[in-house]
Amino acid sequence: MEPASHERLVAIRLQPRASRDRVLGLKGDVIAIALKAPPVEGAANAALLKLLARQLNVPLSAVELVRGATGRSKWIRVNGWSVEQVRVALLAPGG
C-alpha cells in the first residue's frame, strides 16, 4: 500500500543568513539547516533545494518544496526517497 503523501514529507527548519550552508542536525522531528542565503525573494528556498540535491546526489528536479515557501519551517519531498532515507543521508557524518 502506498503511504499517504504527508508521510513522504520531510520537515526542515531553516536558519537563513548563516556563515555557511550546512545541516545542523535533528531537533525533535525536524532537520535543522543553516543557509548563507537571505530569506528574500525565494533565495533561501532555492539555496535549500540546491543543498539538498547536492547532499543527496539527486537531480534538482527530484527535490520539491511542498509547503513553507514564506516561513522558516519547510516541508520537502524527494522523489523516490522515504523520509527515513532522507534523514539518514542528511544526518550521516560527513553527509
Side-chain angles (χ1 to χ4, degrees):
M1 173 182 274
E2 180 69 20
S5 63
H6 71 277
E7 293 176 357
R8 292 193 162 254
L9 299 182
V10 180
I12 305 281
R13 179 74 177 173
L14 284 190
Q15 176 187 327
R17 293 192 171 118
S19 59
R20 65 186 178 110
D21 294 346
R22 65 189 175 120
V23 177
L24 299 172
L26 197 58
K27 304 210 179 196
D29 288 336
V30 179
I31 298 172
I33 295 180
L35 295 172
K36 293 187 291 187
V40 178
E41 297 182 6
N45 291 336
L48 172 64
L49 298 179
K50 287 178 188 172
L51 173 71
L52 294 174
R54 186 173 61 245
Q55 292 277 3
L56 300 172
N57 197 27
V58 298
L60 184 58
S61 61
V63 184
E64 175 186 5
L65 177 62
V66 178
R67 281 187 295 204
T70 60
R72 291 185 184 206
S73 295
K74 313 285 184 187
W75 290 89
I76 61 106
R77 177 177 21 245
V78 180
N79 293 332
W81 290 58
S82 70
V83 171
E84 190 60 28
Q85 287 172 316
V86 172
R87 284 184 178 187
V88 167
L90 290 177
L91 299 171

